[in-house]
Amino acid sequence: MAEGLRERKKRETRQRISDIATGLFLEHGFVTVTMADVADAADVSVNTVYNYFPSKEDLFFDRSAGIVERLGRWVRGRDPGEAAVAAVLRELRAEVEAVSPRVGLMLGYDRFMSVIHEAPALRSRLWSIQQEIQDNLEKVLREETGAPADDPAPTLIAGQINWVHQTTMAVIGRRMLAGHNPDEVSREVLLLLDEMEGLLSDTVLNYAVRPSA
C-alpha cells in the first residue's frame, strides 16, 4: 500500500528529529543535551519530540526495533538445509566482510560508542536491548521448531546464538573505540567468527535445520 502524505510527513519529521539529536549527542554528549535542546534545534515543540520519542534513550537508540528483530529475521529467512546458527553466522559474515555500517564498521562509530560509555542510562538501555534480542530470538526458535513452552532448548540455543552476536558487536565496538580502521577490524572479526563457530557444540550447530524441499 502506498504511503500517504500524512504518514510520509510524520516519517520525515521523525527522521529529521532523530538526525539532529544524533548530531547533538555526538557533539555535546548524552547527559548534557536535553529534549528541549533537540526540539529547539529541530524547530519543533518539546511535545512533538516526546510524541515521537517517549524518552531521551529512545531518541538515541531510535533504530533499536530493527536491531531487536534482526537475529529472528535472519533465522526465519534461513535456507533449506540450513540451521538457525548457520543463518546468523552467514549474515554476520556478510555484514562484516562488506565493512557494513549496520554492524558499526564505519568512521565515526568510535564517537557513538564513547557517548554510550559516558552515560550510565545508555549502558543500561543497551543491556536491555541485548536482552530483548535474545527474548525475540527465543520466541522465533519456538515458533520455527514447534517447541512447547516447557522445552528449555530454545532458551539455551538462543543464548548461544546471541553470544555470537553480542561478542561480535562488542569486539567491533571496542576495536573501533580504540581507533582502528574499519577494514582492519573487519578482517579481525571474520577470524573471530570462525573461532566462535568452532566453539559451538553439534547440538547448537544442528538446531532448527530447515527441511529441504
Side-chain angles (χ1 to χ4, degrees):
M1 185 179 296
E3 182 181 39
L5 178 62
R6 177 182 173 84
E7 287 73 21
R8 178 172 63 81
K9 286 188 174 295
K10 288 176 65 176
R11 175 176 56 79
E12 290 174 347
T13 298
R14 186 185 190 279
Q15 188 60 57
R16 184 166 62 86
I17 293 171
S18 172
D19 290 344
I20 289 171
T22 298
L24 291 173
F25 290 144
L26 294 180
E27 183 177 357
H28 303 291
F30 180 78
V31 175
T32 302
V33 176
T34 67
M35 294 292 257
D37 292 332
V38 174
D40 185 60
D43 196 25
V44 297
S45 70
V46 175
N47 284 340
T48 297
V49 177
Y50 276 110
N51 284 339
Y52 287 102
F53 305 98
S55 72
K56 203 162 62 161
E57 291 80 6
D58 293 319
L59 184 51
F60 186 87
F61 289 115
D62 64 306
R63 294 175 177 82
S64 63
I67 295 173
V68 166
E69 297 169 357
R70 180 162 63 183
L71 298 189
R73 186 169 62 250
W74 289 346
V75 168
R76 289 192 192 281
R78 68 197 185 283
D79 296 328
E82 187 174 44
V85 71
V88 171
L89 283 165
R90 172 172 53 78
E91 294 284 357
L92 270 177
R93 284 191 175 104
E95 295 282 5
V96 172
E97 189 170 10
V99 195
S100 172
R102 288 188 293 268
V103 291
L105 291 170
M106 58 184 290
L107 296 176
Y109 192 65
D110 57 331
R111 182 54 193 151
F112 180 82
M113 292 304 300
S114 292
V115 173
I116 293 175
H117 281 287
E118 293 164 1
L122 291 181
R123 295 200 301 273
S124 178
R125 175 58 66 89
L126 182 59
W127 182 90
S128 296
I129 291 172
Q130 291 167 347
Q131 187 60 50
E132 288 175 31
I133 291 171
Q134 182 164 325
D135 291 344
N136 178 265
L137 178 58
E138 178 187 344
K139 177 183 175 183
V140 170
L141 289 174
R142 287 192 185 279
E143 292 173 354
E144 291 291 299
T145 61
D150 60 351
D151 184 352
T155 303
L156 299 174
I157 301 296
Q160 291 289 293
I161 296 176
N162 196 38
W163 164 72
V164 171
H165 179 256
Q166 281 195 31
T167 300
T168 300
M169 297 305 296
V171 169
I172 289 173
R174 286 197 299 269
R175 299 298 282 169
M176 294 302 294
L177 192 57
H180 292 268
N181 181 277
D183 291 319
E184 176 189 355
V185 177
S186 170
R187 292 190 293 270
E188 293 177 3
V189 173
L190 285 173
L191 294 175
L192 176 66
L193 284 167
D194 290 342
E195 291 182 19
M196 286 192 287
E197 183 174 11
L199 293 173
L200 297 173
S201 70
D202 288 341
T203 300
V204 177
L205 293 170
N206 293 291
Y207 188 79
V209 175
R210 170 156 285 164
S212 300

